[in-house]
Amino acid sequence: MTMTNVRPGPRHTLRVMPSADDLGLRFADGDESALRRAYDEHGALIFAYCRRSLAAASDAEDVTQHTFVEAWRAREGFDPERGSLAGWLLGIARHKVLDHVRSSERRARVVARVETQSAVTAPPAKPDAVLDRLVVADALARLPAEQRRALELAFFDDLTHPEIAQTMALPLGTVKSHIRRGLARLRSRLEEESS
């Protein structure tokens, strides 16, 4: 904030005038309370944008969360003099929505390809094979959300670890940890089921 002399007169009063968006400045400077306030002030806007763009409310919630995570990571790139924090957040949300849509489309293509190939080449499923698939699907569903998502992107969408990190807006090391821990939990659950 800058101090400016508003009305020179007998009292020479000074008034504090904001020089730019105070929240935006604090956000760009890494003030964690500004992140909370930004979410409180702009979270509904970002969610509404994501909800209009995505079919499922849960996907809109995920993309909204990823938007704020990405914004916080990239906060040094935000310049309050060039635009509003809300506009900048909407720009990030737009990219995150596109990433999500592309990922969903890739997943749908892979599923369609697998279904087409299995319909043509697969013999009728044996009851044990169906049971095995159900057990794996159940074990996968019981994983924490981020571990499950990382495994789905790695094994169903065939993404590399860096691509998964970018899609999930997480550091590469965190993605690798999610995959390693997810596989370990899957192995453990499947061993429990088989004994």
Side-chain angles (χ1 to χ4, degrees):
M1 294 194 179
T2 59
M3 302 283 280
T4 58
N5 190 349
V6 176
R7 288 192 183 123
R11 297 180 65 191
H12 297 290
T13 58
L14 294 177
R15 187 170 14 155
V16 176
M17 302 289 291
S19 62
D21 179 15
D22 182 49
L23 175 60
L25 288 171
R26 289 186 14 243
F27 187 91
D29 286 340
D31 180 350
E32 290 183 16
S33 66
L35 173 61
R36 181 72 203 162
R37 186 168 156 218
Y39 184 81
D40 290 343
E41 288 187 17
H42 305 301
L45 171 70
I46 301 304
F47 176 77
Y49 171 78
C50 294
R51 187 65 183 105
R52 281 192 312 271
S53 304
L54 301 168
S58 61
D59 290 342
E61 290 170 1
D62 289 346
V63 172
T64 298
Q65 184 178 25
H66 291 309
T67 296
F68 279 91
V69 169
E70 179 62 25
W72 186 247
R73 282 197 188 120
R75 66 187 175 272
E76 292 174 358
F78 172 63
D79 181 1
E81 299 294 328
R82 293 182 58 206
S84 70
L85 182 58
W88 187 67
L89 289 168
L90 281 169
I92 293 172
R94 180 179 169 271
H95 289 288
K96 292 296 173 189
V97 164
L98 288 173
D99 289 345
H100 182 82
V101 168
R102 287 179 186 138
S103 174
S104 296
E105 289 171 352
R106 265 194 310 268
R107 189 176 321 119
R109 283 193 305 269
V110 168
V111 167
R113 201 172 339 144
V114 168
E115 287 174 349
T116 302
Q117 290 173 351
S118 8
V120 172
T121 61
K126 296 179 182 175
D128 288 344
V130 172
L131 183 60
D132 288 345
R133 282 190 216 135
L134 290 173
V135 169
V136 170
D138 180 59
L140 192 59
R142 293 179 187 217
L143 291 177
E146 288 194 326
Q147 289 178 7
R148 180 177 60 250
R149 180 82 173 121
L151 288 173
E152 288 171 347
L153 290 172
F155 294 102
F156 297 133
D157 291 353
D158 200 28
L159 297 182
T160 65
H161 290 177
E163 289 171 331
I164 296 168
Q166 182 179 11
T167 300
M168 294 182 68
L170 293 172
L172 181 59
T174 303
V175 167
K176 290 180 179 181
S177 294
H178 284 325
I179 291 173
R180 184 177 60 252
R181 289 185 186 127
L183 287 172
R185 284 185 178 186
L186 273 178
R187 185 179 311 115
S188 163
R189 287 186 194 276
L190 294 174
E191 287 172 355
E192 289 173 9
E193 293 289 331
S194 66
S195 57

